[in-house]
Amino acid sequence: HKMLKLMPIDYFTRNAAATLRKVTDAAARPFTAFTDKLPENSQRLGLIEKLFPNARVIYIRRHALDCCLSNLFQRFTHGQGFAFRQDLLGERYRQVTESMQLWKRALDLPIIEVSYAALVSDPEPMVRRIVAFAGLPWDEACLSPEPAERRVMTASQFQVKQPINRNSVDRWRVYEEWLQPLIVALGGLDWIEAESRDMETLVG
């Protein structure tokens, strides 16, 4: 983060413009905002702050085992190599969690933390909070993402077009017997439960 402060400002403006051109070329229609939900963003927030100083960071916090299990069930066609091994996946989850703790103290970017479990249990107040945080106008369509025709360029393009539901909450319990390498890599059930309790303190 300190090294980024030494780089000339035009480096960031040129690269920000190039990124926007790429997104614009890929978009199906004109847009006023775009999102990027890649896990790597947790390692790049210092750079993102420089490129897009008006960005907003939405940090969805989900039970460690449910989150990692969803990665294990996702067939990534490229990248995300850590998602194919339980030990690497557990280490990556911890890395993201610890990085976000550091970024919250180091960045000027606004960061909102949202409980995944609370979001899917009672979507409207949480979705309204996220939309307001992003500075966007409210639209009832935010509560029903499934009919949307927007361009989705991630491996979860099928999931994001499903109705909001609780089907994946506590899904890990069915597979606990086979998730022991993941549990160990995460730091054991004590760490997982402590992290889960911390999530429960979130307003939304």
Side-chain angles (χ1 to χ4, degrees):
H1 190 50
K2 291 181 180 179
M3 292 297 294
L4 290 175
K5 295 179 179 180
L6 302 177
M7 300 183 71
I9 192 65
D10 70 308
Y11 171 85
F12 301 109
T13 55
R14 284 187 289 104
N15 280 279
T19 300
L20 286 173
R21 284 196 299 272
K22 182 178 179 180
V23 173
T24 300
D25 291 345
R29 57 175 64 89
F31 60 88
T32 57
F34 74 94
T35 58
D36 185 329
K37 67 184 193 69
L38 287 176
E40 285 78 6
N41 287 337
S42 64
Q43 312 303 308
R44 300 171 179 164
L45 286 182
L47 177 59
I48 290 170
E49 180 181 48
K50 290 291 187 181
L51 292 170
F52 303 107
N54 295 322
R56 297 292 183 268
V57 179
I58 302 168
Y59 179 26
I60 305 291
R61 294 180 62 186
R62 184 178 181 186
H63 189 284
L65 291 173
D66 276 338
C67 184
C68 291
L69 187 66
S70 72
N71 277 264
L72 290 171
F73 274 91
Q74 179 64 57
R75 184 180 178 183
F76 295 101
T77 55
H78 63 276
Q80 320 307 328
F82 60 86
F84 296 93
R85 281 180 44 176
Q86 292 191 39
D87 56 342
L88 296 180
L89 183 56
E91 291 172 5
R92 187 52 175 265
Y93 184 97
R94 283 289 298 261
Q95 182 183 52
V96 169
T97 301
E98 292 165 3
S99 294
M100 289 305 299
Q101 294 300 317
L102 292 172
W103 286 129
K104 285 189 294 182
R105 296 194 297 268
L107 292 179
D108 291 328
L109 285 181
I111 299 175
I112 186 175
E113 292 185 77
V114 178
S115 161
Y116 175 90
L119 174 64
V120 297
S121 294
D122 188 11
E124 184 166 350
M126 306 305 168
V127 174
R128 283 184 177 276
R129 184 169 173 242
I130 292 170
V131 171
F133 171 78
L136 298 172
W138 175 251
D139 188 321
E140 290 296 324
C142 294
L143 298 174
S144 303
E146 58 274 17
E149 297 180 356
R150 68 191 183 282
R151 181 90 181 268
V152 180
M153 300 172 64
T154 67
S156 58
Q157 56 185 297
F158 172 75
Q159 290 95 325
V160 299
K161 294 187 177 181
Q162 302 306 304
I164 299 171
N165 63 77
R166 299 187 73 257
N167 295 345
S168 296
V169 175
D170 283 337
R171 186 184 184 193
W172 68 270
R173 296 185 186 281
V174 178
Y175 302 94
E176 182 175 3
E177 178 182 351
W178 296 279
L179 296 177
Q180 295 309 303
L182 175 60
I183 291 171
V184 170
L186 284 165
L189 286 174
D190 286 346
W191 184 89
I192 294 167
E193 290 169 2
E195 176 71 3
S196 183
R197 287 193 299 271
D198 187 57
M199 292 180 202
E200 291 172 2
T201 67
L202 297 176
V203 174

